Amino acid sequence: MLEEVERWLTRRSWSSGDRPLHQLTDARAADPRRTSVSVVLPALNEEATVGAIVAVIRRELMEKIRLVDELVVIDSGSTDATAAVARAAGARVVHRDAILPRIPALPGKGEVLWRSLLVTSGEIVCFVDADLKDFSADFVSGTVGPLLTDPAVQFVKAMYDRPLGDSAGQGGRVTELVARPLLNLHWPQLAGFVQPLGGEYAVRRSLLERLPFPVGYGVELGLLVDALHTVGLDGLGQVDVGVRRHRHQDGQALGRMAAAIYRTAQLRLSRGHLVRPALTQFERGEDGFVARTHAVDTEERPPMREIAEYAERHAA
C-alpha cells in the first residue's frame, strides 16, 4: 500500500460513533444553508425492505432530531408496491420517468442517481440502497457526519461487514474479484477503501453536479474514481457503520455487474477504443447449454451542471 494511503487511512477513516448526533445537529445549526441533507433511495421492486428503511430514517433523523431535510425514493419502474409502501412510510416518491422527460430514461441504477439531483435540494446528498435488511440510521448519520463537521471532506463512503448467508465477510464478491484488483492496479490511491462498490455514501452536491454518471452498475466505481481526480484523495473518506445485510444477486447477475464495472474502469483508463460491449453467459436448457448475450452498460450521463434544466433551477 502507498504511504499516502496509509496516512489517509489514519486521517480519513472513522467509525459512526466518532461523531455523536448532538455534534452533527450543532454543526447544522451553525450553518444550516450549507449543511442541508437530502437522502435518496433508488428503488426497483423493493416493497419488502424499502418501507422499513424509510421509517427508520424518518423517525430517527427527521422527527427525533433534525438531521435530514428531505427523504426521496426514486422508483425505477417497479411492478410491485414499492412506491405505495415508501409513500406510506413517509418518503416523497418520484418516478424516474417523470424527471427530465425530454431525455428518455435508460435502465440502470446510475441513471436514477443522476436524475435524483434534479428533484432534491440538499447541499449534501446521501444515497442508500433500498434492499437493506436490519437497517440502521448510522448508514446516514455516519456518512454525512464528516461532511457536516469538516469542510475539506467532499465524498464519504460507508464501510461495513458483508455476510453471505451465515458466512461472515463473504459478501461483496464483485468487489473482491473485480473492483479491488482494478483499483489496486490502476488507482492505487483508492486501495484503502473497504467497500468501493457500496451503495451507501454521501457527497457534496457541488461535487456531484460536476461528475459524469455511468447509467448502470458501474456508477459507484465511476463516481469514486472521478471524485479522486476532481478533489484529490484527502477530499474522500469512509466511515464504519457496522454490518450490511441485503438481498444477494445470483452468479449471472454478478457476472453482468462485473462486466459493467470493468468497462467503466476501461473507459476511464483509455477514453479511447473499447472492446465489444457485450457479455455472453450460459444457462442449461432442455437440450444442453444455451448461450445468452447481454449488453454491457455503455452509456454515461454528463455532469448535471451541463443540463439546462438543472442550471435554470439553481439560477432561480
Side-chain angles (χ1 to χ4, degrees), residues 19-26 28 56-69 137-138 140-141 144 148:
R19 293 174 177 83
L21 290 176
H22 69 80
Q23 182 181 353
L24 304 186
T25 54
D26 288 348
R28 273 180 53 90
V56 169
I57 295 171
R58 254 209 105 71
R59 182 181 67 248
E60 301 297 328
L61 303 178
M62 301 180 78
E63 296 170 357
K64 287 186 179 180
I65 63 170
R66 187 67 176 180
L67 190 68
V68 171
D69 297 281
D138 288 347
V140 175
S141 59
V144 304
L148 294 173

Side-chain angles (χ1 to χ4, degrees), residues 62-136:
M62 301 180 78
E63 296 170 357
K64 287 186 179 180
I65 63 170
R66 187 67 176 180
L67 190 68
V68 171
D69 297 281
E70 63 179 346
L71 174 54
V72 183
V73 170
I74 310 292
D75 184 5
S76 301
S78 299
T79 56
D80 65 2
T82 291
V85 169
R87 194 174 290 114
R92 176 161 63 97
V93 179
V94 184
H95 196 284
R96 173 200 62 196
D97 297 346
I99 307 170
L100 200 62
R102 73 173 176 85
I103 299 178
L106 295 169
K109 179 183 179 182
E111 178 83 356
V112 174
L113 301 186
W114 182 70
R115 289 175 186 261
S116 75
L117 297 182
L118 271 163
V119 293
T120 54
S121 58
E123 292 305 312
I124 296 169
V125 182
C126 177
F127 298 119
V128 177
D129 281 350
D131 65 343
L132 304 188
K133 304 173 183 177
D134 304 323
F135 178 76
S136 166

Side-chain angles (χ1 to χ4, degrees), residues 240-284:
D240 188 347
V241 297
V243 179
R244 183 187 198 268
R245 293 183 173 85
H246 66 112
R247 172 176 47 79
H248 290 284
Q249 304 272 10
D250 64 30
Q252 293 210 334
L254 293 177
R256 295 190 291 274
M257 184 183 299
I261 289 164
Y262 175 77
R263 182 170 169 83
T264 299
Q266 186 188 42
L267 179 61
R268 277 150 182 79
L269 287 167
S270 67
R271 298 290 177 184
H273 177 70
L274 301 178
V275 297
R276 182 176 67 102
L279 174 72
T280 299
Q281 297 176 313
F282 295 89
E283 299 175 4
R284 183 180 288 280

Side-chain angles (χ1 to χ4, degrees), residues 174 178-179 182 186-187 197 214-219 221-222 225-226 255-279 294-300:
V174 176
V178 180
L182 282 171
H186 299 295
W187 295 280
L197 300 185
V215 301
Y217 286 129
V219 63
L221 184 132
V225 168
D226 291 343
R256 295 190 291 274
M257 184 183 299
I261 289 164
Y262 175 77
R263 182 170 169 83
T264 299
Q266 186 188 42
L267 179 61
R268 277 150 182 79
L269 287 167
S270 67
R271 298 290 177 184
H273 177 70
L274 301 178
V275 297
R276 182 176 67 102
L279 174 72
H294 304 268
V296 175
D297 297 320
T298 60
E299 296 288 341
E300 295 200 4

